[in-house]
Structure formats: C-alpha cells, structure tokens
Amino acid sequence: MANKKKVQSSAPVPLTRGQLSRAERERQRVRNLYTAAIALGTMLLLILGFAVIFTFLIRPNQEVANVNGKSINRAAYNAIRRYQLFQQIQQAALQEQFQSQSGTSVTTSQVPGLQQQLQNVESEPIDAETVKTLVDYEVLRQASTADFNLNPSAEQLREYAYEAFEPQPTPPPSDETPTATAMPPTETVVVTATSSITPTATQTRTPTATATRGSPTSTPTATATLPPVPGARQTAEVRYRDYTRSIDMGTEPKLGDPYCGFGCPDLTESEYLSLIIEPGYRTEKVTDELAATEVMTQVEQIHAQHILTDTPEGAQALIVQLNQGADFTELANTQSSEQLQNIQQGLQPNGGDLGWFPREGSNLVPEFVEGAWPVAEGEYTKTPVRTTFGYHIIKVVERDPARPLSETQIETQRQQLYSDWFTEAKSKAQITPAFAQQPTPTPPPLVEPTPQGGNPTATTAPAPAEGTPAATQPVTGTEVTTGTTGTDQDAPAGTERNTPEPSPSP
C-alpha cells in the first residue's frame, strides 16, 4: 500500500495557558512604559511651563513694597538693582585702574563678582537698601503730584536728561576772557584695544553747596559764567541716544562698546526715564517750588572769633586775662587748642576767625550759635560756652542786621526745605515693609567750629539731608567716589543733577 502524504493544518495552534499569560504580561509592560513616558513628558512640560510663567509673569509682579496702596513690584526692583550694580562695576573698575596707574597692586578685583551679581539679579534675595530707594521714589512721586501737580511727560523727562549729557565749557588757562571749547555734535567715543577699561556712561553728580555741619560759612569768590559750548544740544542728543541704546543690550559685557564694556543694566529708555531721571526731575521742581517763597537771601549775621579750651577752668583763666586787657586774637593764636593744633600741622593761626554766619542754617554747632548770638558787637562771652568739643570763648567782631547770604547758605536753605517737606510726606505715608519707612540717609555728624583757612579737628564729607530720597551715585572717569548708592543711591537730593557722560580713560 502506498504511503499517504500527511496534510498539515493551517489553523493557528492554540497557545497554552502559560504562553497566553506571558504575552499579556509583555503587552501590559509595553503599555505601562508608554503611559510612564507620557506622564513624565507631561510633567516636564508642566514644570517648564510653570517656570516660564513664574519667571516672566509671577515673579516680576511679586510685590516688594507698598506705598499708600501703590504696589512696587519685583520688575522695578530688578531694574533699579541692575542699575546700581552697573554703577558699582564702573566705580570698582576705575578704582582698580587708578591703583594700577599709581603703582598700587590690585590684589583682588571686585569687578567679576559684581558682574556675576548683575547677571543674576532676578534670582537674588531682596536687598533692603534698594527697596528703600524705590519706596523713597514712590513717596516723592505721590507727594509731588499731590502737592505740586507734577506729572512730567516722557518728552519733559527726555529734555531734562539732555541737560545732563551736554558738554561743559572749559575754563581758560589764564585770566583771558573765558571761551568755550566746542565739541562737534557727532562726536563719538573710540575705545582702543590698549585701554585697560572701557569708558562708561556714568552719572556725575554736580556738587551743590552743602556745608558740613560745624564748618564755617563764608561768602564764595565770584566766578565768571562761561558761555555755552556751541552745538551742545546736538551733542547731548547724540550721547543720550547712544547711551540709552547701549544700556538696553542685556547684562553681558559688550567688547568695544563705550558704555557696556563690563556689562549694562538692561534698561529700556522708558525704565531709564522713570527710574533714573524722573526722581531727579521731581526733586528739582519741588525744591524750586518750595524755595520760591520761603528762601531768604539776606538775614542778620554776625562775624565772630573763638578760643577753644579743654576745661572750663582753662577757659575761665583766659576770660580773666581778657578782662585785664589781653588781646583776643593773640590769646586765640597762642592759647586756643584748635589754633595750636593747626600750628602743629603747619597752618598759620588766624585768631580763631569764623567769618560771618546767620543764626538759622549756619551749619555750626547749635550750642555755639546760641551762645554767640546774644553777645554785643565788640564784646565776648563772660562765661565759657560748652559744646561737645570743649569750652569756647566767643567774641562778636561785627553784626549786620541784613547781610546777603552766600550761595552756599542759600543752597543749604533750599535743601533743608526739601528735606523737611520729604520727611513729612514720608512720615504720613503708609509703607510696607516697615523697615522702608525709616529715612535712608543719615545726617552728617556735628564737628567743631573751624576758623577760615584752618583745619577742622574732625572732618566729614557732605551728606544728603535726612529724609532725602537716596540717589544712585555714579562715577566719572576723572573722579572716584565711595559710599553707598544710592544714595546716590545713588539719588535725587536737593537740586543735584545727574550727568551721564562717556568718561575717557584716566
């Protein structure tokens, strides 16, 4: 019998129960991997989305302070903080260059650390002094609007800023008629590869006549008014445009840029006008309004001399000699501790002459002024006048019932009026956080009355009046200032002006 061929069935071979279980587990494992990947991707998208929203929407609008219900957000804080650090970088770079040129070695540069801070402002902890600066600006804005109806437009602020960029006339080298040094409107600053630092557009605070409390007040020597520089306005506009364009280019250093060689504050023109220019504009206008009716140009003043001793017994012994006919000037030159100190320092004695000063705003120690004021012309105090610096014998040389005030004394009045107005406005404001309610600057300490041409026992640099908004204090290429910003800072205080200008390498 022939063998029959075995026919193979095409029907699927049924899987065993074990095989079915393994296949299902494999499919479930794949589904789980897909589900986990989708969940992880969704979570990453949500995290990235929240980071973007937090960085660009939530965090910039976080409140850092509040003035009378007006919120100050983190975006404004970041802008003013970057500008402060920008100024500190310029200051540190100039200081290091001066040290290098003078032969002083710079052990550690502050610039890299400040640059790092500038680039990480958005994530840094809140700086309390920067918050105070913003609060002061907002108090100034609200109070000046309410009291004087000040609402400057962008064009008014721009015009005000142009003045700060105008080139200043150069005084003549001799007694010839002053002539201005012309600067072409299209002048640009060229940075060479050999320059150790990049010239920066920093703001120079034009010093106003703010006398340190305790220093003598005297009539300043009249100076000739120099004619304006031809084309100054056109030059200012060019400089302003270049400056505002540069500071809006981010925080990274820009090699070859005359303003941002070390990095810039990343401010738009609008932010620059509102945060940097507007406080100074409002301060100046408020000061002018207050001074228009309240500043006196001539008041009663006295011309005085004094002898300073360390003990009341020593002062009383000198009074006995004066009563017996001793010469006041001679005693001051030979017995006053102040004059003896000046002689030791190589200065000529001047009989303790303090010049002329008024009763109010004299910038002398109050106890000294009150002790001197009742003394008749040609007489001296019969009992020593005690101050924190010792015991004074004061002689009133002359008395004038209506003597013109010096420019320094008038400016002191103006700044005091503004300081009083601002302090009152801030005291009435509802401010959070609480630390921002306190005045930012501190008044200068009292120092001993110092004779004209003498050297004070203690000296202090002029400081802003108490309660004045702290202004940012930039640096020029020819002068380095130290201290906080401020105030200034750095800071509209009094009628000082900010002068952004490219500063050539020293």
Side-chain angles (χ1 to χ4, degrees):
M1 175 182 272
N3 291 333
K4 293 183 177 180
K5 188 180 285 188
K6 189 174 181 181
V7 180
Q8 292 182 348
S9 173
S10 60
V13 178
L15 299 175
T16 64
R17 183 175 299 176
Q19 290 173 327
L20 286 172
S21 178
R22 285 195 298 273
E24 182 62 32
R25 286 198 299 271
E26 187 64 28
R27 286 194 294 271
Q28 184 63 40
R29 187 178 298 113
V30 172
R31 285 196 298 269
N32 289 343
L33 288 174
Y34 281 131
T35 302
I38 292 171
L40 181 61
T42 302
M43 184 178 298
L44 288 174
L45 287 175
L46 289 174
I47 292 173
L48 289 174
F50 177 78
V52 170
I53 293 173
F54 180 80
T55 301
F56 294 102
L57 292 177
I58 297 176
R59 190 179 182 90
N61 289 293
Q62 284 181 328
E63 184 177 281
V64 297
N66 191 291
V67 179
N68 295 324
K70 172 66 176 178
S71 179
I72 301 174
N73 61 25
R74 180 66 187 249
Y77 169 90
N78 291 343
I80 196 71
R81 179 64 176 156
R82 287 195 302 269
Y83 195 79
Q84 291 174 340
L85 289 168
F86 166 65
Q87 293 173 325
Q88 291 177 32
I89 290 171
Q90 311 309 318
Q91 183 177 15
L94 286 172
Q95 286 176 330
E96 290 170 14
Q97 179 167 334
F98 288 151
Q99 289 173 357
S100 176
Q101 291 179 345
S102 64
T104 304
S105 60
V106 180
T107 55
T108 304
S109 174
Q110 300 179 26
V111 173
L114 291 170
Q115 287 176 318
Q116 189 69 25
Q117 284 185 266
L118 176 64
Q119 295 167 20
N120 296 317
V121 164
E122 284 74 10
S123 58
E124 76 168 5
I126 295 295
D127 176 71
E129 293 306 314
T130 304
V131 173
K132 287 183 179 182
T133 297
L134 284 167
V135 165
D136 284 354
Y137 287 178
E138 183 58 28
V139 170
L140 171 60
R141 188 191 67 80
Q142 294 182 17
S144 61
T145 301
D147 293 355
F148 303 102
N149 196 29
L150 284 180
N151 287 292
S153 64
E155 188 55 37
Q156 287 176 308
L157 295 176
R158 197 173 289 112
E159 289 289 332
Y160 182 76
Y162 286 159
E163 297 176 18
F165 284 89
E166 289 182 357
Q168 300 301 310
T170 303
S174 62
D175 296 334
E176 300 174 0
T177 304
T179 56
T181 301
M183 299 180 69
T186 57
E187 179 188 11
T188 57
V189 178
V190 179
V191 183
T192 62
T194 57
S195 177
S196 58
I197 69 169
T198 305
T200 55
T202 53
Q203 296 186 349
T204 304
R205 294 187 66 81
T206 303
T208 55
T210 307
T212 303
R213 179 173 282 277
S215 62
T217 55
S218 59
T219 304
T221 304
T223 55
T225 302
L226 299 173
V229 175
R233 170 55 185 261
Q234 292 88 339
T235 303
E237 291 180 5
V238 171
R239 289 178 173 179
Y240 174 84
R241 285 196 300 269
D242 290 345
Y243 182 70
T244 53
R245 188 184 302 116
S246 288
I247 64 174
D248 193 19
M249 295 195 303
T251 58
E252 293 290 335
K254 310 295 186 298
L255 185 63
D257 186 88
Y259 307 115
C260 296
F262 297 98
C264 259
D266 194 22
L267 293 186
T268 64
E269 183 192 13
S270 175
E271 290 173 325
Y272 174 70
L273 290 175
S274 63
L275 293 174
I276 309 303
I277 298 300
E278 185 174 345
Y281 176 91
R282 288 181 177 272
T283 299
E284 185 170 301
K285 296 301 180 184
V286 169
T287 304
D288 289 343
E289 290 283 347
L290 294 169
T293 56
E294 298 187 49
V295 169
M296 294 179 291
T297 59
Q298 58 181 30
V299 295
E300 181 181 9
Q301 298 187 59
I302 60 175
H303 175 199
Q305 295 174 262
H306 80 128
I307 302 173
L308 177 64
T309 64
D310 297 329
T311 64
E313 294 79 13
Q316 196 60 54
L318 293 177
I319 291 174
V320 171
Q321 294 184 47
L322 290 171
N323 291 339
Q324 295 173 350
D327 182 72
F328 193 97
T329 299
E330 184 179 347
L331 280 183
N333 287 338
T334 59
Q335 302 297 323
S336 176
S337 58
E338 179 185 63
Q339 295 298 308
L340 294 175
Q341 182 180 12
N342 290 340
I343 293 172
Q344 291 175 357
Q345 296 175 355
L347 301 174
Q348 291 296 321
N350 70 342
D353 193 345
L354 295 173
W356 291 89
F357 56 90
R359 186 167 191 172
E360 299 294 335
S362 69
N363 296 304
L364 293 171
V365 180
E367 298 89 345
F368 184 92
V369 176
E370 291 306 311
W373 211 257
V375 180
E377 182 175 320
E379 297 294 328
Y380 53 87
T381 52
K382 303 305 181 183
T383 56
V385 175
R386 182 180 181 181
T387 71
T388 54
F389 305 101
Y391 297 86
H392 306 260
I393 307 168
I394 307 169
K395 178 180 179 180
V396 174
V397 182
E398 302 173 83
R399 185 181 292 270
D400 190 334
R403 183 177 179 83
L405 292 170
S406 67
E407 293 179 7
T408 298
Q409 293 165 337
I410 292 174
E411 186 58 39
T412 298
Q413 285 188 71
R414 285 168 50 85
Q415 293 192 6
Q416 189 61 50
L417 285 171
Y418 175 83
S419 176
D420 293 343
W421 171 84
F422 180 82
T423 301
E424 182 179 3
K426 190 170 184 179
S427 67
K428 293 179 179 178
Q430 299 296 319
I431 297 172
T432 55
F435 69 78
Q437 178 73 51
Q438 303 169 357
T440 14
T442 55
L446 301 182
V447 297
E448 179 184 345
T450 306
Q452 296 175 348
N455 189 27
T457 303
T459 59
T460 58
E466 182 176 3
T468 306
T472 49
Q473 301 269 352
V475 200
T476 68
T478 56
E479 178 181 6
V480 176
T481 58
T482 58
T484 58
T485 60
T487 140
D488 51 90
Q489 347 140 100
D490 256 348
T495 56
E496 298 177 353
R497 288 297 312 278
N498 293 325
T499 309
E501 184 175 339
S503 52
S505 298

